Amino acid sequence: MPIPSRVAGLAALLAAPLAALPAAAQQPPPASLQGPVSIQQQGSFFVGGRALRSDSLSTIPAYAPSGTITIDQMYVRFQVPADAGARRPIVLVHGCCLTGKTWETTPDGRMGWDEVLLRRGYPTYVVDQPWRGRSAAHPTTINPVKTGQAGPETLPTVFSAGREDAWTIFRFGRRAGETFPGMLFPLEAQEEFWRQTVPDWNASLPSPHPTVVALSALAARLDGAVLVSHSQSGIFPFQAAASSRQGIAGIVSIEPGACPAADSDMTPYAGLPILILWGDFVQESPRWAPRLAACRDFARAANAAGGKVELVVLPEIGIAGNSHMLMQDRNSIELADWLMGWIGKNVGERR
């Protein structure tokens, strides 16, 4: 039976390799972002985590099954520019099915937000959430099933977002293979983007969520950071602030999977500069439209209780075409500069 043309076209689109860097990747960044950059300090470390004693660490003879490991820790990579002055450190937290790579070089080879922020003078901290990327997962949730000591119902919930499903989640179009008119994500480099996705363990993590615990510890360590979250991680800075405001100077939540409920306690957010930022085509998405509405309700409730919450939908201020992955869209540098302007105006520098 012949394959329908639309299905065949979709299969080719999703499977096509990235033959070469597209023309857009050859375009230089703005002159103000070119040239050498002076870095005062760079490195990496972990925050959070706990020791766990287990008899299910290994199922291979070369390694003992019993011992102590560390789990729930969060990896942090940082760069501090020489001209940081009193600028606030920025913490970048990725969303579902991804890692800190979200904020690095875009799929089509342009400068990522981590470098843009650095070159604009901001100390920049990029994390891998616990159980993803360079933050270790938890083998003792799997090995007991393999050895027959536990039933399959005890296995952790782990999932990957398929390309077809991710296409609509990231709002490239209404359905896989179709594109919203004027959408700015560089689809010619989609194969490079799909390489960024990883298995997601979020549904299996304990409570309190290790990312929230680690963000609280990191904010306290940095003593005045702006926490920038995206998608699945959107709620985490709010939860960290509800636990303790120590070290949290502001929150930027980009297209959050959830905002705090409008009928919840607003005390933790009183006086705290908060930006909730949304891209385009939100009303076209049954997944995202209700979440935007709920965030609007939260913003109204928080501001009525003394909050400083600003909710911005980019098309409403004249910026059209942005996908859910707006930090990788073609206008990502302009958006980063806009965001830094908001931080400078609303959060300000260290005193």
Side-chain angles (χ1 to χ4, degrees):
M1 178 181 295
I3 300 175
S5 60
R6 191 176 77 82
V7 176
L10 171 60
L13 181 63
L14 294 177
L18 185 63
L21 282 177
Q26 311 303 322
Q27 298 175 3
S32 60
L33 291 174
Q34 296 182 35
V37 58
S38 180
I39 298 175
Q40 175 182 315
Q41 187 182 13
Q42 67 178 7
S44 59
F45 56 90
F46 288 89
V47 288
R50 59 190 173 93
L52 175 73
R53 173 74 185 181
S54 174
D55 295 323
S56 303
L57 299 183
S58 173
T59 60
I60 59 177
Y63 293 90
S66 299
T68 304
I69 60 173
T70 300
I71 62 171
D72 297 347
Q73 66 272 33
M74 185 172 76
Y75 174 84
V76 183
R77 176 183 62 81
F78 72 95
Q79 291 182 301
V80 179
D83 59 350
R87 293 183 185 89
R88 300 280 185 181
I90 309 293
V91 178
L92 301 173
V93 191
H94 63 85
C96 157
C97 321
L98 297 165
T99 68
K101 170 61 180 169
T102 291
W103 310 100
E104 299 173 5
T105 307
T106 65
D108 59 341
R110 290 172 291 112
M111 187 181 294
W113 276 20
D114 65 336
E115 186 178 351
V116 176
L117 293 170
L118 176 74
R119 287 178 174 272
R120 295 299 194 210
Y122 284 89
T124 306
Y125 294 73
V126 179
V127 312
D128 286 350
Q129 287 192 49
W131 296 39
R132 259 184 284 170
R134 284 179 280 188
S135 300
H138 191 347
T140 68
T141 61
I142 298 173
N143 288 338
V145 178
K146 186 171 184 179
T147 59
Q149 297 171 296
E153 71 280 357
T154 66
L155 285 169
T157 299
V158 185
F159 73 94
S160 292
R163 297 180 179 190
E164 298 83 355
D165 196 30
W167 188 284
T168 59
I169 293 173
F170 297 139
R171 292 204 314 282
F172 301 156
R174 292 182 182 87
R175 56 188 61 84
E178 296 183 9
T179 306
F180 286 122
M183 194 274 302
L184 294 175
F185 187 84
L187 285 175
E188 72 277 8
Q190 63 176 284
E191 186 67 23
E192 186 68 16
F193 176 67
W194 302 131
R195 292 185 180 120
Q196 296 181 21
T197 60
V198 297
D200 192 297
W201 298 70
N202 189 60
S204 299
L205 269 65
S207 182
H209 199 289
T211 300
V212 176
V213 175
L215 281 178
S216 292
L218 180 57
R221 175 170 175 165
L222 298 179
D223 190 24
V226 178
L227 305 182
V228 180
S229 57
H230 176 237
S231 195
Q232 172 213 69
S233 72
I235 190 65
F236 294 157
F238 295 101
Q239 294 174 337
S243 173
S244 171
R245 284 271 292 270
Q246 183 183 1
I248 302 176
I251 292 174
V252 175
S253 186
I254 299 173
E255 298 219 349
C259 283
D263 60 355
S264 61
D265 181 16
M266 297 295 152
T267 305
Y269 316 117
L272 181 64
I274 296 173
L275 171 66
I276 305 172
L277 183 63
W278 292 83
D280 206 344
F281 317 112
V282 178
Q283 297 306 325
E284 303 283 348
S285 170
R287 171 186 290 265
W288 294 109
R291 296 176 179 182
L292 170 55
C295 286
R296 289 191 192 275
D297 291 340
F298 160 73
R300 284 190 289 266
N303 288 336
K308 297 172 63 177
V309 181
E310 186 174 355
L311 188 146
V312 173
V313 181
L314 289 174
E316 295 177 2
I317 63 170
I319 302 175
N322 283 107
S323 73
H324 182 59
M325 298 300 297
L326 56 83
M327 72 293 295
Q328 298 181 0
D329 287 341
R330 298 186 192 281
N331 61 344
S332 58
I333 291 179
E334 291 82 358
L335 293 182
D337 284 337
W338 183 91
L339 177 60
M340 284 180 278
W342 185 93
I343 291 172
K345 176 182 177 182
N346 294 278
V347 183
E349 298 185 341
R350 298 178 187 271
R351 297 178 180 176

